[in-house]
Amino acid sequence: MGALSSRMMWLRRDRAPEEPGAVRDGQEAVEMEAAVVQGEEEGEEAQLSTSQVGRKRKTSPGGPLAKAPRRERIKDKSRSIYQALFLRGEGSDIQIRALGEEWNLHRVYLCQAGYFASMFSGAWRETHMNTIEIQMPDENIDCEALHEVLGSLYRDSMIIPPCRVVAILATASMLQLDELIQQCREIMKDTVSAQSVCNYYYSAENYGLQDIRTICHQWLLDNLMTQRNEELLMEVSLDLMRELIASSDLLVMEVEMDIYTTLKKWTFLQLQPTWRGTRRALLPDANSWFARHRGESEGAPFLETEQGRAFIPVFQQLRLAYIICDLPSAHVIDQDALIPAAWLTPVYKEQWLALLRAEQTKEIGPVDVHVSDLQGNSMRCGGQLQRDEQCSWRWAGFNFGWDLVVCYNNRRIVFRRSALNKSCGLGVSLLWQRKVAFRLRLVSLDRNGRATFRRDTEYQMLSLRKDQELEVVNLENQDVFFPLYMACNFLYIPRERGTAQSEDSCKSPES
């Protein structure tokens, strides 16, 4: 057997707790190996000292005992320990059985893991057993992951491929290996993508990695509507989708109706997980499936059927007031018959009363709007700027007399209230001044969907006269990457007086 590193051996043993009842045979064998290596290292150090003296007399670049070759020998010794003690099980004093496999190991190494340290140091039945069988309650732990993690106890480092990080994390969490858990955390931070985000999110919830959960949640808010990835939609669970759709931080492309369309596709994929088709065919196939289901259910709205009830918590997060304000969208909602009429009738009534308040009470808009109003009730819309060139956005729908135009030019974003747009008809209010509560976010994403640039105005109050414009964001002298995604939250009319409000109110932007 090759030489073993005594330095590494004693480092390992210092980390292990005392083992009053442990089997000694394997430990003695390990100590004998370490003693041999120690003698070899002392000889090497003496030889190194002699050669150093010689080099004072005659310099020779790249001598046989240079630092790089010495590091290689240390690696070789570490590799020898791994192969002799872990792979071949030499000097083993305990056998671990799990997942139909057996490992002949050493208590002194196993005690680096909190799981085994507690098992061997307490008054447990396994303390004096030579063979321990472990049941794996976690389906994420497989034989390969357990082999790699047990082997890491005999090595200084471990390489974890991103495709195996969840299985390694699950195993390290069970065995209570904090350093390995931290290594998994760093790998997950660097490899979040459409292929891994949901798996990472669920794993972070299971194993208490709150920072990874937050990173994945933000990635989904940024990419759910921008990537249009069918495989990603299939992996989003019901609870996760409900949380995403409820958020005002969702990066919406176009308008609220597009969120409804995304939900329709997602629901279809959840019910038909074997569907395979092109991206262009997904929506027509979903519409056809829901039409057949409606016929089989005698015209009952989908959410009132047995299959549809599970999706109610998700569809309840839609802000229907910003869907029915557009006539084509309202027609689609009626034709699809996914949403019960009992949900829509109160929304139509509320919108009609809001219109009357805006026109007959001469309300100029929100006066004292709180953050809670915007978070749960604001209009969500957005757009994409492919390159650094002049562009403007105007979103469809009746917005209580506001014809608000968002313009981008020379790295400046400006809000303009248009009062001369005849195409809007009755949609334009002629009140001399109108107020709107808003929030504007700008995000640039790389190929993997990770944010490379982010800007947020937070919630503010804006007051505009007829045809007045106001600069909201200035991006001069900032490193902005394109395409640039823009997400807006608007609240044109406040909720009825007396509703619950938070203490955080909006501030007005500087002119």
Side-chain angles (χ1 to χ4, degrees):
M1 182 176 63
L4 307 182
S5 170
S6 61
R7 183 179 297 109
M8 180 175 173
M9 173 58 62
W10 300 123
L11 175 63
R12 299 285 192 184
R13 293 196 60 198
D14 289 343
R15 291 165 59 184
E18 293 294 328
E19 308 173 67
V23 177
R24 308 297 300 177
D25 294 343
Q27 182 175 334
E28 291 173 358
V30 171
E31 290 175 355
M32 289 176 64
E33 297 282 2
V36 172
V37 175
Q38 186 171 2
E40 290 181 359
E41 287 192 343
E42 289 174 354
E44 286 181 0
E45 289 174 0
Q47 183 179 356
L48 178 59
S49 177
T50 303
S51 64
Q52 286 175 338
V53 173
R55 277 199 298 273
K56 288 182 180 179
R57 302 186 187 124
K58 180 180 179 181
T59 58
S60 176
L65 293 176
K67 289 185 177 180
R70 180 172 177 79
R71 285 196 296 268
E72 289 301 321
R73 288 198 307 279
I74 293 175
K75 289 181 180 180
D76 289 341
K77 293 172 183 178
S78 174
R79 192 179 302 114
S80 296
I81 287 180
Y82 174 77
Q83 293 173 350
L85 301 186
F86 179 69
L87 295 182
R88 295 198 296 269
E90 296 179 6
S92 170
D93 61 1
I94 191 168
Q95 185 179 80
I96 301 297
R97 294 178 180 176
L99 301 172
E101 297 291 335
E102 298 176 352
W103 290 267
N104 296 316
L105 305 176
H106 310 82
R107 291 172 184 262
V108 67
Y109 280 91
L110 291 178
C111 281
Q112 296 172 90
Y115 178 87
F116 291 112
S118 299
M119 179 184 291
F120 297 152
S121 62
W124 300 100
R125 178 169 57 91
E126 293 86 355
T127 301
H128 304 288
M129 294 175 62
N130 295 333
T131 300
I132 296 176
E133 188 158 349
I134 302 176
Q135 301 297 325
M136 295 296 171
D138 191 341
E139 62 182 12
N140 286 327
I141 300 176
D142 56 27
C143 189
E144 180 184 351
L146 184 57
H147 181 84
E148 291 296 323
V149 171
L150 290 175
S152 72
L153 301 175
Y154 293 77
R155 292 186 288 188
D156 287 332
S157 62
M158 177 179 177
I159 299 175
I160 305 175
C163 63
R164 297 292 300 160
V165 69
V166 171
I168 299 295
L169 172 63
T171 311
S173 297
M174 190 202 77
L175 297 182
Q176 302 169 36
L177 288 165
D178 293 339
E179 291 183 7
L180 194 54
I181 292 173
Q182 180 60 30
Q183 185 179 349
C184 292
R185 175 187 272 115
E186 296 302 323
I187 292 172
M188 294 168 79
K189 283 181 181 179
D190 295 336
T191 57
V192 176
S193 66
Q195 291 73 36
S196 64
V197 63
C198 288
N199 198 14
Y200 285 2
Y201 178 89
Y202 305 136
S203 300
E205 282 197 324
N206 290 336
Y207 307 116
L209 304 184
Q210 184 58 41
D211 55 338
I212 301 300
R213 183 189 184 279
T214 300
I215 290 171
C216 293
H217 189 264
Q218 184 60 58
W219 190 99
L220 287 165
L221 289 172
D222 291 340
N223 290 272
L224 183 69
M225 301 284 296
T226 58
Q227 288 214 6
R228 293 181 171 87
N229 187 310
E230 295 77 28
E231 289 77 13
L232 176 62
L233 283 178
M234 287 183 178
E235 295 180 2
V236 177
S237 68
L238 192 147
D239 288 339
L240 177 54
M241 183 61 81
R242 178 184 58 79
E243 191 173 343
L244 295 172
I245 298 301
S247 176
S248 286
D249 293 333
L250 182 65
L251 196 59
V252 176
M253 291 296 97
E254 301 304 331
V255 291
E256 190 80 17
M257 184 62 185
D258 294 277
I259 304 179
Y260 167 82
T261 303
T262 299
L263 277 189
K264 185 162 57 172
K265 296 176 182 177
W266 168 78
T267 303
F268 168 72
L269 291 173
Q270 296 296 303
L271 295 171
Q272 301 293 315
T274 59
W275 178 87
R276 295 294 180 269
T278 63
R279 179 176 301 178
R280 181 172 296 182
L282 177 55
L283 183 57
D285 288 353
N287 286 333
S288 300
W289 187 90
F290 283 115
R292 289 195 304 271
H293 184 274
R294 185 166 61 252
E296 295 169 358
S297 304
E298 298 180 353
F302 171 74
L303 294 177
E304 290 183 347
T305 65
E306 183 176 355
Q307 278 187 303
R309 290 189 187 98
F311 298 93
I312 287 177
V314 180
F315 279 83
Q316 283 177 331
Q317 309 311 316
L318 285 171
R319 302 179 184 185
L320 296 174
Y322 300 105
I323 294 178
I324 64 170
C325 66
D326 176 58
L327 186 59
S329 299
H331 282 325
V332 172
I333 294 292
D334 287 338
Q335 291 171 2
D336 287 348
L338 272 64
I339 299 175
W343 291 24
L344 297 170
T345 301
V347 180
Y348 279 113
K349 178 182 177 181
E350 181 182 346
Q351 289 297 89
W352 174 246
L353 293 177
L355 171 61
L356 293 179
R357 289 201 310 273
E359 291 300 314
Q360 296 184 10
T361 65
K362 305 301 180 184
E363 287 191 1
I364 63 174
V367 178
D368 187 19
V369 178
H370 295 258
V371 171
S372 61
D373 290 294
L374 278 163
Q375 288 176 337
N377 300 282
S378 60
M379 170 184 172
R380 298 179 288 188
C381 54
Q384 181 181 11
L385 191 62
Q386 288 287 351
R387 56 190 65 85
D388 190 4
E389 62 183 13
Q390 184 175 350
C391 189
S392 62
W393 296 268
R394 176 190 280 117
W395 292 279
F398 181 78
N399 295 317
F400 306 100
W402 263 99
D403 182 23
L404 186 64
V405 183
V406 179
C407 305
Y408 175 88
N409 190 22
N410 295 326
R411 298 212 164 206
R412 297 165 58 247
I413 295 181
V414 173
F415 285 178
R416 184 176 75 245
R417 178 193 171 194
S418 175
L420 301 176
N421 184 10
K422 297 181 180 179
S423 63
C424 287
L426 297 175
V428 175
S429 171
L430 298 180
L431 289 175
W432 72 277
Q433 186 182 45
R434 293 297 304 268
K435 287 185 177 181
V436 61
F438 79 95
R439 177 191 180 194
L440 176 67
R441 289 172 293 133
L442 301 171
V443 181
S444 296
L445 304 173
D446 64 15
R447 291 183 178 180
N448 291 319
R450 289 175 288 189
T452 57
F453 173 82
R454 195 180 296 275
R455 179 79 178 270
D456 191 337
T457 66
E458 302 297 338
Y459 294 106
Q460 300 186 29
M461 189 77 73
L462 182 65
S463 178
L464 290 176
R465 296 185 296 275
K466 296 178 184 178
D467 299 309
Q468 183 184 6
E469 64 180 33
L470 183 67
E471 180 179 307
V472 178
V473 173
N474 191 323
L475 299 175
E476 291 183 3
N477 302 321
Q478 295 193 36
D479 293 329
V480 181
F481 302 94
F482 294 87
L484 183 67
Y485 295 97
M486 180 185 66
C488 300
N489 297 79
F490 294 115
L491 185 63
Y492 296 102
I493 298 294
R495 291 188 295 174
E496 288 285 354
R497 305 295 191 271
T499 55
Q501 295 178 334
S502 74
E503 65 277 6
D504 300 322
S505 57
C506 298
K507 60 182 179 180
S508 300
E510 297 179 359
S511 300

